[in-house]
Amino acid sequence: MTMTRRQLIETATLLAAGLGLPGWALAADEAPDALVKRLSAEVLNTVRSDKSIKAGDVDRIMALVDQLIMPHVNFRRMTAAAVGPGWRSATPEQQKRLQEEFKQLLVRTYAGALDQVVDQTVVVRPLRAAPEDKDVLVRTEVRGRGEPVQLDYRLEKTPGDGAGWKIYNLNVLGVWLVDTYRTQFAQEINKETDARKGIDRLIETLAARNKSNAGTS
């Protein structure tokens, strides 16, 4: 089966979004590039072996994300950055809803790319970072049949017992995921003069989009 470039990009974006990532170990001493390399292999192996995930079963993917992924991704920071200045005006309940709807958006948007995972490999490029760095860029390439797709990860070192590296932004072909959504989200928020009403509008828009992606009315 030959993948088109669009399919390869979708697969890379799916991997970038962290969907289906199993085995995030609490490895405080594991280097960030070694972590990404190990997890990338686990992602591809799991997608290939789990028929439900490969078929794009959203409930199965969501359960896996909740159980194994979310504890190891700084999703609050990712959502806050995507929402932009409006995040500071949001109530705790609004922030919770934004994270829930944003997560569903990512899952539902890229679940369909799972059936394209066949013979891809992920090559991690040399890490350019000092041992004491707390914020690093891990660059990778997703390779299949065709041109490789650039896939980069921004990670931060979190302190505390059992801490480790956590992803907070992703880059596919030079486009940062958070930046892309920040532009879209700002358009919704700015339709209201009151910041909290703008946040409500954004939540409603995300919820409607998720329902549409789920094929429900």
Side-chain angles (χ1 to χ4, degrees):
M1 177 180 178
T2 302
M3 294 185 70
T4 65
R5 181 163 178 78
R6 177 178 178 180
Q7 291 169 337
L8 188 59
I9 292 171
E10 288 178 347
T11 302
T13 307
L14 178 70
L15 294 171
L19 311 182
L21 281 172
W24 280 81
L26 294 177
D29 296 329
E30 187 172 18
D33 54 340
L35 177 67
V36 169
K37 182 177 181 179
R38 174 174 62 79
L39 295 177
S40 296
E42 290 178 357
V43 169
L44 295 175
N45 290 337
T46 299
V47 171
R48 292 186 187 110
S49 62
D50 191 313
K51 294 182 179 180
S52 294
I53 293 178
K54 189 172 175 60
D57 184 330
V58 173
D59 290 338
R60 169 72 177 129
I61 298 169
M62 193 73 74
L64 194 61
V65 169
D66 285 337
Q67 181 181 359
L68 299 176
I69 310 308
M70 300 309 293
H72 306 284
V73 176
N74 191 339
F75 199 70
R76 179 180 174 85
R77 176 175 178 177
M78 185 180 293
T79 307
V83 172
W87 177 264
R88 294 190 296 272
S89 301
T91 66
E93 179 60 28
Q94 286 176 320
Q95 292 179 353
K96 179 182 177 183
R97 285 291 310 281
L98 284 167
Q99 291 182 76
E100 291 172 349
E101 297 297 342
F102 189 31
K103 180 179 66 176
Q104 284 198 46
L105 177 65
L106 294 176
V107 170
R108 294 190 181 280
T109 298
Y110 301 114
L114 285 167
D115 64 353
Q116 305 298 333
V117 176
V118 182
D119 59 356
Q120 292 76 28
T121 59
V122 177
V123 177
V124 179
R125 301 173 69 180
L127 179 66
R128 299 175 181 175
E132 67 273 13
D133 286 348
K134 304 298 183 183
D135 191 299
V136 301
L137 173 66
V138 175
R139 300 174 301 155
T140 77
E141 288 182 344
V142 179
R143 297 180 180 178
R145 298 180 181 179
E147 296 181 13
V149 172
Q150 173 191 347
L151 172 54
D152 301 334
Y153 299 79
R154 274 285 180 193
L155 299 94
E156 63 176 357
K157 185 69 173 292
T158 56
D161 184 32
W165 292 94
K166 290 189 177 182
I167 293 173
Y168 68 87
N169 204 353
L170 317 148
N171 181 315
V172 181
L173 290 175
V175 178
W176 288 98
L177 185 74
V178 166
D179 296 344
T180 298
Y181 282 107
R182 184 186 296 123
T183 300
Q184 298 177 25
F185 292 175
Q187 292 175 351
E188 291 299 320
I189 295 172
N190 293 336
K191 289 178 181 178
E192 300 285 349
T193 55
D194 181 271
R196 290 190 178 179
K197 289 183 179 179
I199 293 295
D200 283 335
R201 172 183 283 275
L202 174 59
I203 292 171
E204 291 171 1
T205 300
L206 291 174
R209 189 183 303 180
N210 287 329
K211 287 185 68 175
S212 177
N213 289 343
T216 60
S217 58

